[in-house]
């Protein structure tokens, strides 16, 4: 189908005024995420606060100035019902941030309320085939809550982002092996998008050979590689005083692209998805990162 004949898809981004949203928009509007022939309409949602909505208006101005032919409309709103109405894809960047001195349980309580409300809204106003990606942390938990509150939407239509961890693993393997990125495949992130995740290179390949043969250094793997991937987000915050945005946007783009358009034969990627019915012995009823294709 030509660019003119494909119907536009509606993509809602929550927390759209933040730095990840800003970095993500070019991936969507250029066709990198959904393909070079797929027109898009953006629904940008963020807090219904004057300063935040003014910022969103500025983002809309920039989108107008960037003259992307695939972009067929932009809606900026502080109302979740408006943002989710008819959405084909929802990318949930918005979550309550962890503040200094805040216990993890306090963060969970705050986000439980947000994702319960948004899940219930998705259930009533979004497209019934909507695909939802949760990025805002704690992503696995937030995704599970939204999914549980949206019984009309299939469980397999909800996922949480572990592609950033997956990409970080590929990047570090390429650097260590002095290989190009397209020669490194099939690392796996198991579990949670947090420091408890398990980055696994037992099935990874570099230049067509097992990664553990190419990098024959178990001490590096356990002592440097695994902690580096587990703590990479914190290291970036320490260096930039801001969380990952450029790399997070790339990972979101990769995740959505592969989810919608598929992975090449023989290649798998990491996504946190419903664990129910999995073949790896992980308990049912979780959102857990697995290798997927």
């Amino acid at each position: 189908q030509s660019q003119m004949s494909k119907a536009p898809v509606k993509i809602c981004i929550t927390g759209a005024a933040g730095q990840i949203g800003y970095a993500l928009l070019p991936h969507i509007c250029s066709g990198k995420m959904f393909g070079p022939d797929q027109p898009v309409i953006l629904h940008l949602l963020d807090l219904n606060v004057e300063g935040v909505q003014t910022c969103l208006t500025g983002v809309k101005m920039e989108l107008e100035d960037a003259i992307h032919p695939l972009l067929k409309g932009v809606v900026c709103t502080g109302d979740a019902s408006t943002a989710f109405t008819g959405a084909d894809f929802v990318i949930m960047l918005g979550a309550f941030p962890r503040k200094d001195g805040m216990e993890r349980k306090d963060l969970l309580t705050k986000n439980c309320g947000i994702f319960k409300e948004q899940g219930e809204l998705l259930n009533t106003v979004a497209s019934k085939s909507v695909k939802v990606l949760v990025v805002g942390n704690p992503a696995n938990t937030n995704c599970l809550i939204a999914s549980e509150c949206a019984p009309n939407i299939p469980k397999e239509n909800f996922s949480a982002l572990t592609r950033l961890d997956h990409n970080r693993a590929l990047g570090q393997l390429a650097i260590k092996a002095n290989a190009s990125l397209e020669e490194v495949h099939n690392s796996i992130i198991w579990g949670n998008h947090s420091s408890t995740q398990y980055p696994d290179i037992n099935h990874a390949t570099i230049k067509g050979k097992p990664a553990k043969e190419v990098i024959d250094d178990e001490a590096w793997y356990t002592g440097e590689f695994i902690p580096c991937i587990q703590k990479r987000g914190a290291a970036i915050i320490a260096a930039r005083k801001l969380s990952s945005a450029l790399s997070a946007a790339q990972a979101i783009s990769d995740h959505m692209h592969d989810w919608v358009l598929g992975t090449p034969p023989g290649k798998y990627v990491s996504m946190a998805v419903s664990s129910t019915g999995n073949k790896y012995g992980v308990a049912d009823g979780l959102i857990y990162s697995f290798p997927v294709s």
Side-chain angles (χ1 to χ4, degrees):
Q1 278 185 306
S2 75
Q3 190 174 306
M4 294 303 111
S5 62
K6 256 191 175 178
V9 289
K10 280 187 187 170
I11 300 144
C12 171
I13 302 173
T14 78
Q19 56 158 1
I20 297 176
Y22 190 76
L24 181 63
L25 291 169
H27 289 264
I28 300 172
C29 298
S30 68
K32 219 175 145 186
M33 188 182 287
F34 295 112
D37 59 347
Q38 179 58 67
V40 296
I41 294 168
L42 292 172
H43 287 195
L44 306 181
L45 172 68
D46 215 314
L47 298 174
N48 204 6
V49 176
E50 189 182 349
V52 176
Q53 289 300 310
T54 305
C55 178
L56 270 188
T57 308
V59 172
K60 185 180 180 185
M61 287 187 228
E62 284 210 72
L63 288 169
E64 291 166 359
D65 297 349
I67 59 167
H68 287 290
L70 291 172
L71 182 59
K72 301 302 180 190
V74 182
V75 175
C76 297
T77 182
D79 176 61
S81 182
T82 302
F84 292 159
T85 296
D88 299 297
F89 302 98
V90 177
I91 300 171
M92 296 181 133
L93 306 178
F96 193 87
R98 190 169 183 178
K99 298 191 171 166
D100 211 24
M102 202 173 176
E103 291 290 335
R104 200 166 179 82
K105 67 177 188 295
D106 301 330
L107 184 69
L108 285 168
T109 304
K110 280 274 188 193
N111 279 302
C112 184
I114 295 170
F115 283 85
K116 179 174 185 288
E117 181 186 328
Q118 293 192 339
E120 287 165 352
L121 272 174
L122 283 171
N123 197 50
T124 53
V125 302
S127 157
K128 291 298 166 249
S129 60
V130 67
K131 283 184 158 69
V132 181
L133 169 60
V134 179
V135 179
N137 283 318
N140 296 52
T141 310
N142 291 343
C143 182
L144 184 65
I145 292 164
S147 167
E148 291 294 328
C149 294
N152 294 339
I153 299 168
K155 293 278 180 268
E156 61 267 25
N157 288 25
F158 282 87
S159 65
L161 188 76
T162 54
R163 185 61 176 267
L164 179 51
D165 310 294
H166 179 94
N167 287 355
R168 286 165 172 165
L170 295 177
Q172 291 304 308
L173 288 173
I175 292 165
K176 179 69 175 173
N178 197 22
S180 63
L181 281 165
E182 57 271 23
E183 295 172 319
V184 185
H185 300 289
N186 297 351
S187 66
I188 304 168
I189 303 297
W190 298 96
N192 217 0
H193 173 64
S194 72
S195 60
T196 63
Q197 65 176 258
Y198 184 70
D200 176 7
I201 66 165
N202 287 300
H203 304 275
T205 61
I206 300 171
K207 300 180 183 178
K209 296 178 182 163
K212 283 195 157 180
E213 273 180 31
V214 177
I215 305 169
D216 186 14
D217 188 347
E218 191 65 31
W220 173 80
Y221 177 49
T222 55
E224 291 183 44
F225 174 80
I226 291 174
C228 169
I229 306 308
Q230 290 173 332
K231 296 171 183 167
R232 185 72 160 185
I236 288 166
I237 291 171
R240 283 191 78 228
K241 307 297 178 266
L242 291 165
S243 59
S244 312
L246 177 155
S247 55
Q250 178 66 52
I252 293 162
S253 180
D254 290 342
H255 176 116
M256 295 305 296
H257 175 278
D258 291 350
W259 198 8
V260 175
L261 299 173
T263 51
K267 180 183 169 188
Y268 45 82
V269 296
S270 302
M271 280 172 69
V273 295
S274 171
S275 64
T276 301
N278 78 86
K279 60 187 182 191
Y280 301 104
V282 176
D284 284 354
L286 303 172
I287 296 288
Y288 191 95
S289 184
F290 293 101
V292 299
S293 57

